[in-house]
Amino acid sequence: MSDFQMPEPGQMGVTVSDGIGTIRVYSDSATTIEVCILNPENPRETIETIDLVRGAHGIWSASSSHLVPGTKYGLRATGPEGPRHRFNSSLLLIDPYAKGVIRESAREFHCVVVDGDFDWQGVAKPNIPLDELVIYEAHARGLTRGNSALPDELRGTYAALGHPSTIEHLKNIGVNAVELLPIQMFISEPRLMNMGLINYWGYNSINFFTPHHRYATAAAIKAGPEAILVELKTAIRELHRNGIEVLLDVVYNHTAEGGGGGLTHSYRGLDNSNYYRQDEKGWYHDTTGCGNSLDFSNPHVVHMVLESLRYWTTELQVDGYRFDLATTLARDENNHYDPNHPLLRSIVEDPILAEAKMIVEPWDVGLGGWQTGNFPERFSEWNDRYRDSVRRFWLGDIAAARNSGSHWNGVSDLATRLSGSRDIFDSPTGTVGAVNFITAHDGFCLRDLVSYDVKHNQSNGESNRDGTNGNHSFNHGHEGIGATEQIVAQRHKAARNLMATLLFSYGIPMITAGDERLKTQNGNNNAYCQDNVMTWVNWNPSRSERDFEKTFSYLTQLRRENPVLRPRNYSSFDDATSEHDLLKWYNAAGEIMSTDDWHNTECRTISRYSLHIAANGEKNSMLLVIHGVEKTTEVTLPAADGVTGYEMLWNSAHDVPRASTQTYLPGDTVNLSGTSMQLFRASFA
């Protein structure tokens, strides 16, 4: 790649200047490429064909006065035969850099030149510091589809994302970044369509520049791609106006064209041998589990992704990205992961992307695919170790104790996750190198995590074979609905413990939309093809669900108001035995944890004392007490340096947060009912 000079930003695809449009397309294998200008009234009719001329590095170009905003067009390409090629001159192809695409039928698309003009009204990006971020992972349609307070024509649309009722809810629960599941244009797999299902999640991209049309209002879809862009930009502007960032889950690792025998809509028809990673016989090297992997040893593929990121960052004012199966994006010519890969390095160095937040899913399904903790400092990473450790402590271990009388784990691993997973992310990036989560779109939602021992995915049409079996979940004595009030109460407390652990852990917290109201998917842990009430956020919660929402809102408020709960750097708590530490761990007797305590699997009660000293000398100190055993116990509040008293702020044993005026002295004892947490604010003389 070192001798390849990438085109200037914004030069690929169609650019318009002084009424003349120029199109640039990449193919190193094609022998001819032509752009077909389509009849605006009948896009199946070509009114002009323009031959592109090949230039350096496989970039083809042509200019025409017809390539102006509103023009509908497509590409045709011819080339050699052979096992690595899939040229078919009868197919009208999508321009990989098209900013507008319309789907005419199941197998027919055409591109549209867009202007992109929009009035941002002076609203700037919020630029929220990473340590203050609370991410809300949501589906662009599912977030609002069930909101009956919205006009029916807006429910489930881009317009609804920026609607006051949506924004009010997000602000009330204290999240400040919405991470949208894929909204770059995607299509459903034929297999799903044949079963009457769709790819709901959207991890099946067919174009990396065009917003998915189905999430626009019917009026915008009818008006065309320009109107869809305006609707989406308006939603982003209004979220920004209210201090809420927009992050996109982006799927650059593969495309919807699938594996051998798959569809041909764009990249495959332009240059199958160079867009996709294959061997000489044309067999795809699939590290994504989706049939193909884009070839990131090809500098043109790297450039295409960079251009996509630049476009969404500038033209749509997107604040950041979560890269699906990101290991694939950094595989070199030998298909090995390279932390210094040109794509990663270019993202780090690109001034256009300098302020954008970059989050990776640090694995894929290929050899050497699990790379958590191995991405460059610029990237925060999904912390799957956090998810599994916290689930095991609060759920798997409790189930084990009921079955065998003993727990599998003590508190050592949980303490490591609570303090920022330094064993994985020890770098100058600090604690914000970790994106912590209990649940995500993939897997059990929070309510199901505490209500089901096994997955129930029969409605997906795969005989319950799909979805992970390693859930670390616990139904608390009854599978699914119909549990006794006692079991339901246990489940809700477990959910409060899980959510509080997440929001009181160092690192960036991410919650899944609907978990703030304890939505259920009826035990489905792979609802990728379910576009119905199963996956939509519940906008008519019951009293107990509203109580949980109050708890969640209070927990985010505590995190927001107390910087001690979200330190950015590890350096402030290097040595847990130092007299000058800002982080200390105590056992149930109020004594510093000993080596024996850390290694004792039956030691499951621990207190984390932490102190933040602001630049003006103001102290912010908290004591978090965790009890991971079902029987009630007494905990002695520690005599931490200079602490004169403790005020209880929160107790997970309560259904809703309760104001407390009671204060405690160091050395006093408090009762913790089984599997619970308490948070205290420390005071000083």
Side-chain angles (χ1 to χ4, degrees), residues 228-279:
I228 294 172
L229 275 170
V230 168
E231 185 175 308
L232 176 55
K233 289 177 179 180
T234 301
I236 294 172
R237 183 188 67 198
E238 296 312 304
L239 287 164
H240 283 175
R241 196 191 301 275
N242 286 274
I244 299 171
E245 294 193 338
V246 177
L247 313 178
L248 298 188
D249 195 335
V250 287
V251 189
Y252 295 124
N253 55 79
H254 77 283
T255 80
E257 292 185 310
L263 305 170
T264 298
H265 290 304
S266 181
Y267 319 93
R268 175 169 287 145
L270 285 169
D271 197 343
N272 185 61
S273 66
N274 282 294
Y275 276 108
Y276 296 114
R277 194 181 291 274
Q278 306 165 68
D279 63 20

Side-chain angles (χ1 to χ4, degrees), residues 277 295-297 331-336:
R277 194 181 291 274
D295 185 358
F296 285 93
S297 68
R331 287 185 177 270
D332 61 18
E333 61 274 11
N334 298 312
N335 213 9
H336 298 157

Side-chain angles (χ1 to χ4, degrees), residues 139 141 181 186-189 191-203 214-215 441-442 456-464 466-467 521 524-536:
H139 189 280
R141 173 174 163 82
L181 268 64
F186 64 88
I187 58 177
S188 294
E189 297 87 335
R191 174 184 61 83
L192 289 176
M193 302 287 285
N194 291 337
M195 291 192 294
L197 300 170
I198 66 167
N199 188 319
Y200 173 66
W201 285 349
Y203 293 89
R214 186 168 177 260
Y215 301 152
H441 66 277
D442 186 2
H456 296 266
N457 297 354
Q458 288 83 358
S459 60
N460 294 351
E462 300 182 47
S463 302
N464 208 36
D466 63 305
Q521 293 181 170
N524 192 321
N525 76 348
N526 190 38
Y528 74 103
C529 55
Q530 301 294 330
D531 182 10
N532 50 53
V533 293
M534 176 192 293
T535 52
W536 300 342

